[in-house]
Amino acid sequence: MSGRRSRAAGTGQVLGRAFYDRPTLTVAEELLGKVLVHHTPAGLTAGMIVEAEAYIGEDDPACHAAPGPTPRNAPLYGPPGFAYVYLNYGIHYLVNAVTEADGHPAAVLIRALAPVDGIRLMEKRRAPDGRHVDTPGLCRGPGNLTKALGISLTDNLLDLTSSRLFIEDRGLAVEDVSWGPRIGIRVGVDKPWRCWATGHPSVSGPKSKRGAP
């Protein structure tokens, strides 16, 4: 899906545009086990994706595209493989990977990571006061992972295939995948479009296993 070697630590391959230019539920499931990497002046941080949620089109009431095109949701309508970062409830930044063809608004929200690289930097970002945060909890939840990786609105619209923020394949396998309802939303809660690595300690939401949607 990409022949380009990672610029980061490790021997992974950066995911190419074609990976994201597919049905969103497929992308969400196949993102599990991939590694989200962020280069900043403070250092490199990375984590394996263990939980993700799909948001698909204007007919999905929980998708930011539900009201139609706006300046805020413009990245969703653009080409696949770009980052959509926004401030949630004025508190946390959330990072998404835009999916499907240009003009078809959809994205995968990255909900949780298992820390891989830059753990000490993650600890400093999550707990500047020096309090202890257990390693599995550093990137548990979409707001925590962006804080740990130093992701903010300045990263909105970055090209995930060729920028300081990217996702790569390091050959890490997630053997058992569970699906269930999306969480942290008020509408569209009936759709079982959240997937996660079954039993992983970094998963943020309920862990009761269900079949694929």
Side-chain angles (χ1 to χ4, degrees), residues 52-159:
E53 276 180 341
Y55 291 86
I56 308 170
E58 295 177 354
D59 292 335
D60 177 1
C63 182
H64 283 184
T70 67
R72 184 197 190 199
N73 68 26
L76 292 175
Y77 288 85
F82 283 78
Y84 174 42
V85 181
Y86 60 87
L87 186 62
N88 191 47
Y89 298 123
I91 303 172
H92 301 295
Y93 298 110
L94 304 188
V95 61
N96 303 256
V98 175
T99 57
E100 307 201 13
D102 195 346
H104 294 267
V108 174
L109 170 67
I110 310 302
R111 283 203 57 90
L113 308 174
V116 175
D117 297 322
I119 292 176
R120 287 195 175 183
L121 179 54
M122 291 184 188
E123 291 172 343
K124 290 180 181 178
R125 286 170 171 161
R126 284 290 319 279
D129 58 358
R131 64 184 171 84
H132 174 70
V133 180
D134 66 305
T135 299
L138 285 171
C139 300
R140 184 188 292 130
N144 288 333
L145 75 86
T146 55
K147 187 172 183 180
L149 268 64
I151 296 171
S152 68
L153 289 179
T154 61
D155 302 302
N156 187 36
L157 275 176
L158 286 183
D159 190 338

Side-chain angles (χ1 to χ4, degrees), residues 172-197:
L172 303 174
V174 171
E175 296 182 358
D176 192 10
V177 176
S178 296
W179 290 86
R182 297 177 295 186
I183 56 178
I185 54 177
R186 298 188 180 97
V187 294
V189 295
D190 58 315
K191 298 182 183 299
W193 288 356
R194 179 174 67 96
C195 59
W196 64 91

